[in-house]
Amino acid sequence: MRGTFLLAGATATGKSAVVQYLAEQRGAALLSADAMLVYRGMDIGTAKPSQEERLRVPYYGLDCVTPAETFSSARWLESLAQSETAPLRFVTGGTGLYFSLLLRGLDPAPPVDSERRAALEALPLAELQARLAQRKVTLEDMQNPRRLIRALEILESGGSLPRGWGSKAKVKLPALLWPRALLHARIAERVRKMYQSGLLEETRALRTAYPEWSRTANQAIGYAEAGAVLDGKVTRVEAIEQTIIRTRQLARRQETYLRGQFEVTWIACSSSDTVPMIAERVWAVWEKEGAAKLATL
RNA sequence: GGCGCGAUAGCCAAGCGGUUAGGCAGAGGACUGCAAAUCCUUUUAGAUCAGUUCGACUCUGAUUCGCGCCU
């Protein structure tokens, strides 16, 4: 078997373990499709594959930047390109946007200009809306400054807005799915383990190494709350609780994105399943559906 | 035992004799270079029983439970 095979799914569904297992078994390379695993040193809170696991399988898409740097989806495409040489490649991760890039491509648009972005971010929402109104442009989501700003960046530099992935024919994507209640239990357990494994200490060390973090790294689930503990703003117990809640909310949004953007082949999991059992099901889906048809980038 | 205060949704918490409290959590949705981000929508009430009233979560009484004080 050759080619690229994908496995999506919400956080804490066990994607990584399943794909690690399959990669070891089949001699594949792994590409992480995750916007947080790119941060060097953010290991415990992102549930990054261990050094041992990484020695057994070639990995791409990990540790691309420091927490002080700003990452971007365009930048992730570099990791994708690096992994091209592998004859058999498995891609897994929780960032649905990256699967969109992989399967649907990226319409031409100007890269982010940090000065222009900062200028737009300083504007009130009403001003952003007014500027779009001047250009007779309406977005679906006129309350969302993020999207208004990006639209203005593209328009003000002479580009035209992408048509939208959601409106195009959906592409197939396999994903793991747990009953919500079980997933919530898995999330709670995982967060507690992160604290037992030293998330606070890791955060403290990273803050020493990098006093200023990029906005995205700063907001990373687990690290934001651990930082609040270190600053004495919340207790450890409160931070654990808040991290669990934010992770649950992330998982819900991840599933919503997959449902909305892809024709998902859901691979159902239950509490009695082991990693090899789920891996077998994933492999069966991959064999049946064939290698992913990637967009030409 | 007596007196007082309280009881509102999974949690916190208001006003009101008739028209949506609100927040959090949960659920659904959007998404093209920050995505673990950003934004939109939204279910679930009035401890129990009786009374007053056209109409009670709101007023009255009893009961139950909780808290405080007294003996």
Side-chain angles (χ1 to χ4, degrees):
Chain A
M1 205 133 140
R2 296 172 69 82
T4 304
F5 295 85
L6 317 178
L7 183 64
T11 184
T13 51
K15 312 177 287 296
S16 309
V18 165
V19 165
Q20 174 81 30
Y21 177 89
L22 285 170
E24 288 182 26
Q25 202 177 49
R26 310 279 170 173
L30 287 181
L31 170 61
S32 159
D34 192 293
M36 292 298 138
L37 294 188
V38 302
Y39 291 107
R40 211 170 296 144
M42 291 172 57
D43 300 336
I44 295 171
T46 60
K48 197 178 284 173
S50 67
Q51 285 304 325
E52 198 192 22
E53 287 170 318
R54 292 165 69 172
L55 285 174
R56 294 205 289 265
V57 173
Y59 258 99
Y60 298 90
L62 303 181
D63 298 340
C64 305
V65 295
T66 72
E69 295 173 77
T70 298
F71 197 70
S72 71
S73 22
R75 195 100 187 249
W76 181 76
L77 294 174
E78 294 171 14
S79 297
L80 173 64
Q82 281 166 17
S83 67
E84 289 293 322
T85 51
L88 182 61
R89 175 173 57 166
F90 300 159
V91 185
T92 197
T95 304
L97 178 63
Y98 294 172
F99 284 103
S100 292
L101 295 176
L102 201 57
L103 291 167
R104 320 248 224 154
L106 186 60
D107 285 340
V112 174
D113 176 301
S114 55
E115 278 181 32
R116 177 166 48 211
R117 174 157 292 182
L120 287 168
E121 278 175 346
L123 299 175
L125 181 63
E127 172 64 18
L128 297 172
Q129 290 168 337
R131 288 200 189 186
L132 281 170
Q134 270 172 24
R135 293 170 176 274
K136 298 193 181 1
V137 169
T138 309
L139 296 183
E140 197 170 349
D141 201 2
M142 292 301 283
Q143 301 291 111
N144 189 341
R146 275 277 177 103
R147 294 186 63 193
L148 302 189
I149 286 170
R150 182 57 188 156
L152 284 168
E153 281 176 355
I154 294 171
L155 293 169
E156 291 184 354
S157 60
S160 57
L161 295 181
R163 281 156 295 172
W165 284 319
S167 59
K168 295 180 187 171
K170 302 240 172 111
V171 289
K172 284 198 155 196
L173 179 63
L176 297 185
L177 182 68
W178 289 78
R180 207 42 90 69
L182 280 180
L183 186 64
H184 285 183
R186 289 171 64 90
I187 287 169
E189 192 187 340
R190 183 152 92 158
V191 170
R192 293 199 185 95
K193 278 191 180 150
M194 284 175 181
Y195 270 78
Q196 284 164 18
S197 310
L199 181 57
L200 284 174
E201 293 70 24
E202 180 178 279
T203 306
R204 186 185 291 122
L206 272 174
R207 283 177 151 201
T208 306
Y210 308 101
E212 295 284 324
W213 291 16
S214 69
R215 192 182 316 185
T216 309
N218 239 330
Q219 294 174 135
I221 295 175
Y223 293 93
E225 293 79 8
V229 176
L230 296 177
D231 292 336
K233 289 178 182 153
V234 300
T235 65
R236 180 189 167 102
V237 170
E238 285 166 342
I240 289 173
E241 197 173 326
Q242 192 54 36
T243 302
I244 291 170
I245 288 169
R246 277 228 287 157
T247 308
R248 283 205 299 251
Q249 293 172 336
L250 166 66
R252 185 166 55 72
R253 272 181 279 125
Q254 286 172 313
E255 289 183 355
T256 299
Y257 188 84
L258 294 175
R259 277 194 295 263
Q261 299 290 325
F262 306 99
E263 186 190 323
V264 182
T265 305
W266 294 107
I267 298 166
C269 304
S270 69
S271 50
S272 55
D273 287 335
T274 61
V275 168
M277 285 165 69
I278 298 170
E280 198 173 320
R281 262 174 260 158
V282 170
W283 184 254
V285 169
W286 283 351
E287 276 195 312
K288 182 165 176 255
E289 296 189 350
K293 293 178 188 67
L294 305 187
T296 46
L297 296 165

